[in-house]
Amino acid sequence: MRVVDCLIIVIDAVTGHGAALENLWKIADKLDLPRIIVINKMDKSQADFDGTMEKLRAKFSKEVVPVEVPIGQGDDFKGDFSLLKHEVPEELKETVAIHKEMLIEGVAEIDETILTEYLENKEITEEELKEHLITALDHDKIFPVFCASATKNIGTEDILDALVSWMPPANEKEIPAKDNIKVKPDAKEPFSAYVFKTVSEAHIGNLTYIRVYSGTIMPSSPVLNATKGKDERIGQIITMRGKTKVDLPQLTAGDIAVLPKLKITGTGDTLCDKNKAIIFEPTTYPEPAMSFAVRPKSKADQEKMALGLSNFTHEDPTFKMSYNAETKETVISGMGDVHLEVILKKIKERYNIDIEIGEPRIPYKETILGKAKGQGKYKKQTGGRGQYGDTWLEIEPLPRGKAFEFVNKVVGGAIPRNYIPAVEKGVREAMGSGVIAGYPVVDLKITLFDGSYHEVDSSDMAFKIAASMGFKKIFQEAKPILLEPIVEITVSVPPEFVGEVTGDLNKRRGRIANIEADKVIAAVPQGEISKYATDLRSFTHGQGTFSTKFSHYEQVPPQTQQKLVETYKKLKE
């Protein structure tokens, strides 16, 4: 939508408009895009032109107006009749009069004289009405509605005619760039273009889709990638006709085309003349709303999966991939479950790999509330040299976010200095794999205050094992707890859903921080919103969006801790 000049919005004559249209309409308003609406499937048995029109006008604007009416509906749908015509068949006079009044009222937004003429029964010519209609369209003051049956090819020609003769041409509107620059859509101006899409194709590489806003460019031309501040060379210029690539001799203002095999250019970049650098504002993309943990069914496909996922992060700026070192998972994030499933399906087709998905593990952490002391001793006697390490450790909590502190208070050579690093290493390794539920341990202080060694059998390995054993023992005695990540969630919804959102977040143990007319901000445990995208979409009929950012860690409730500890025990068994 960022790079088009107008929209055709297709509505089902039976089911009406879906929730997605409301979001699309908001974006179209923001981008000042003229739009025409087509009520399709007029040949279906329950098609309802007037009912669909009424719902559209109630939801969006009284400026949604018909420019034609259907001749028959359902099985009797034979075609459409233009409201711009003067000679009206007898059987359509009543319906034409009703709908033409809507059209005239809409056009009157630009010029009230036309409404006065209509009410005074003065003749309004077809050309006069069309001229006002086009002006109103240009100013986003009117949204004409057509009726059609795509499968029977009824009404298609009228829509295409309107698209050509009513909608603004692609080289007409000045485009704003950074630093208050206005780009004239003129073939003689310096070249400038915006990259709105990148697709990676096997055996070819990247296909870069651009919209040219000014100037002219030919194959093998040098240009500047102003976003990255580096030179780029355009090789071949093509357009896509389905999957067929068609060579183009040049591009000029208003064109949309594809540039294969660009080296450094990605989605959101600006290409321009080297002597006149400009940058178009990049598109602001919403934050991902849903995440999956992914792994290949075959370990041999790990590298192919990583390559495929990485390529898609370049193609789709709303798709993110990361590796969580704490949970040891590859996590992909996107706008919803369907979005991620489509990407995984494409990866399977392109790279011939099967990928398993699951919910990402929540990065809980373990810590303590109390203090404890204890011994960790490792003694192993074999036929030859044995293993001996003996440590006495004290454990105590640190404030949140202080991670870990190791203190050596051994005196009198009870443990030789060269074994002290092995003791710390043993503790750190035990902390990494967790004690009560398998999650990393944080925010505590360990003091090594005593121990003993053997002249022959002691070693770094023996002291490392002894320290690990001692740490796990005293950790269990120091009131261990689990910490859960808390995120700040911002939910944007129409005002009528604000109450439902706050109630739902309260059920998820959320604490409401701020409520506005169309926005709710709350602190909520990350584990409570793993499927929030689907739930929000369900109870707001697709109109709700949200974003999250990490806030802090808090102690989990006892019942949650108990479940996690039990799950860990079963896994170990």
Side-chain angles (χ1 to χ4, degrees):
M1 287 174 69
R2 163 76 185 267
V3 295
V4 300
D5 301 280
C6 56
L7 300 179
I8 299 178
I9 297 169
V10 184
I11 309 288
D12 191 312
V14 180
T15 60
H17 71 275
L21 179 56
E22 299 184 26
N23 293 328
L24 184 144
W25 197 273
K26 283 178 193 169
I27 300 168
D29 280 344
K30 190 178 172 185
L31 297 170
D32 292 326
L33 287 174
R35 61 216 88 147
I36 61 176
I37 299 167
V38 179
I39 297 179
N40 187 34
K41 301 187 183 179
M42 285 301 303
D43 57 317
K44 298 295 177 190
S45 59
Q46 291 176 300
D48 183 0
F49 181 79
D50 286 342
T52 307
M53 272 289 307
E54 198 177 312
K55 284 174 188 168
L56 287 169
R57 283 166 65 84
K59 189 69 191 176
F60 299 110
S61 166
K62 293 289 181 193
E63 291 150 10
V64 173
V65 297
V67 288
E68 58 186 26
V69 290
I71 302 170
Q73 289 192 147
D75 294 336
D76 299 326
F77 182 57
K78 301 178 187 67
D80 47 62
F81 181 82
S82 171
L83 298 178
L84 303 182
K85 291 179 181 174
H86 280 289
E87 291 177 18
V88 184
E90 194 62 41
E91 67 273 18
L92 289 176
K93 276 191 174 173
E94 189 180 337
T95 188
V96 165
I98 294 167
H99 291 86
K100 194 161 189 176
E101 193 170 326
M102 289 184 203
L103 172 60
I104 298 289
E105 282 175 1
V107 170
E109 284 288 320
I110 290 294
D111 188 348
E112 283 187 12
T113 55
I114 202 161
L115 180 60
T116 309
E117 286 175 13
Y118 178 72
L119 295 173
E120 291 173 359
N121 289 321
K122 289 182 181 174
E123 187 180 338
I124 303 164
T125 67
E126 191 175 325
E127 285 309 309
E128 190 183 356
L129 190 52
K130 194 183 286 184
E131 187 185 316
H132 280 79
L133 183 65
I134 292 169
T135 307
L137 256 170
D138 264 355
H139 289 81
D140 280 350
K141 293 289 185 185
I142 203 168
F143 309 107
V145 180
F146 292 78
C147 53
S149 163
T151 51
K152 291 189 175 178
N153 200 23
I154 298 174
T156 317
E157 216 168 294
D158 295 340
I159 297 160
L160 293 175
D161 286 344
L163 193 64
V164 171
S165 57
W166 297 1
M167 291 303 204
N171 56 358
E172 186 177 81
K173 194 163 66 173
E174 285 191 344
I175 307 299
K178 278 188 176 179
D179 301 323
N180 296 318
I181 295 171
K182 293 275 187 182
V183 176
K184 289 182 183 174
D186 189 331
K188 293 174 185 172
E189 288 285 309
F191 172 75
S192 68
Y194 178 74
V195 177
F196 67 93
K197 183 178 178 180
T198 309
V199 175
S200 177
E201 276 205 4
H203 316 303
I204 295 175
N206 285 348
L207 296 176
T208 303
Y209 286 70
I210 66 166
R211 162 71 192 259
V212 181
Y213 284 120
S214 64
T216 304
I217 199 82
M218 294 177 187
S220 301
S221 302
V223 293
L224 173 70
N225 181 321
T227 310
K228 294 191 167 78
K230 293 181 180 178
D231 291 344
E232 181 76 272
R233 178 166 286 276
I234 291 174
Q236 195 183 6
I237 299 175
I238 59 175
T239 187
M240 302 298 291
R241 191 171 294 152
K243 288 196 173 182
T244 307
K245 298 169 182 67
V246 181
D247 283 311
L248 296 177
Q250 67 172 36
L251 291 179
T252 189
D255 284 343
I256 285 179
V258 180
L259 308 177
K261 299 181 181 177
L262 295 189
K263 298 254 186 325
I264 60 164
T265 301
T267 304
D269 288 354
T270 298
L271 298 176
C272 62
D273 190 301
K274 294 172 79 169
N275 298 316
K276 189 170 182 185
I278 63 160
I279 297 178
F280 295 111
E281 288 285 353
T283 302
T284 304
Y285 298 101
E287 284 300 307
M290 179 168 272
S291 298
F292 289 154
V294 293
R295 62 179 177 274
K297 277 190 178 175
S298 164
K299 280 194 176 177
D301 288 334
Q302 185 71 42
E303 209 169 301
K304 274 163 76 176
M305 183 187 83
L307 175 68
L309 293 173
S310 176
N311 282 340
F312 267 95
T313 60
H314 298 304
E315 287 186 27
D316 182 350
T318 63
F319 174 69
K320 303 275 190 286
M321 175 191 76
S322 61
Y323 179 75
N324 190 323
E326 286 184 18
T327 60
K328 298 177 176 58
E329 290 176 320
T330 298
V331 177
I332 60 171
S333 306
M335 302 318 299
D337 46 356
V338 176
H339 180 206
L340 294 175
E341 282 162 11
V342 167
I343 286 174
L344 292 174
K345 186 183 174 193
K346 286 181 180 176
I347 288 173
K348 182 178 180 179
E349 288 168 359
R350 280 189 205 175
Y351 300 94
N352 194 29
I353 50 174
D354 285 312
I355 296 175
E356 295 177 334
I357 64 170
E359 280 188 34
R361 289 182 75 204
I362 304 300
Y364 294 103
K365 295 187 188 298
E366 299 180 15
T367 192
I368 54 167
L369 295 176
K371 296 181 179 182
K373 290 181 182 179
Q375 182 185 29
K377 189 173 183 179
Y378 180 63
K379 186 177 180 182
K380 189 176 181 185
Q381 201 61 49
T382 54
R385 182 179 168 181
Q387 292 282 0
Y388 183 90
D390 178 25
T391 59
W392 280 87
L393 303 169
E394 181 180 19
I395 189 169
E396 57 189 296
L398 286 178
R400 291 284 168 268
K402 292 297 181 183
F404 174 61
E405 190 181 329
F406 180 82
V407 179
N408 173 26
K409 283 192 176 177
V410 173
V411 291
I415 299 174
R417 293 184 68 84
N418 57 305
Y419 292 135
I420 303 301
V423 174
E424 183 177 349
K425 191 175 181 184
V427 171
R428 284 185 179 275
E429 284 186 9
M431 287 175 66
S433 55
V435 180
I436 59 168
Y439 295 101
V441 175
V442 294
D443 302 338
L444 52 79
K445 176 181 175 182
I446 290 288
T447 304
L448 173 65
F449 64 89
D450 202 359
S452 63
Y453 74 104
H454 189 279
E455 291 267 356
V456 177
D457 292 346
S458 285
S459 66
D460 282 349
M461 180 59 73
F463 272 101
K464 193 171 95 168
I465 295 170
S468 175
M469 290 166 63
F471 170 78
K472 288 177 181 176
K473 179 182 165 190
I474 60 174
F475 187 89
Q476 296 272 18
E477 296 166 2
K479 298 181 185 170
I481 60 163
L482 287 178
L483 300 173
E484 63 184 347
I486 305 296
V487 296
E488 183 188 281
I489 185 168
T490 302
V491 187
S492 299
V493 289
E496 62 264 32
F497 295 114
V498 166
E500 203 160 347
V501 167
T502 53
D504 180 72
L505 289 174
N506 283 327
K507 285 180 199 166
R508 297 171 190 269
R509 297 192 285 124
R511 293 192 301 276
I512 308 300
N514 191 26
I515 300 176
E516 296 175 22
D518 57 355
K519 190 186 288 182
V520 179
I521 300 171
V524 63
Q526 187 180 330
E528 297 285 347
I529 56 166
S530 58
K531 293 181 179 174
Y532 192 65
T534 309
D535 296 341
L536 182 68
R537 186 171 65 218
S538 174
F539 68 72
T540 63
H541 310 298
Q543 296 176 63
T545 59
F546 75 97
S547 63
T548 61
K549 62 180 180 183
F550 172 75
S551 176
H552 61 283
Y553 272 88
E554 280 181 14
Q555 183 177 346
V556 305
Q559 63 271 27
T560 308
Q561 176 161 326
Q562 193 178 337
K563 280 182 195 169
L564 291 166
V565 171
E566 284 170 5
T567 303
Y568 179 62
K569 281 179 182 172
K570 283 176 187 171
L571 281 171
K572 280 184 81 176
E573 284 164 14

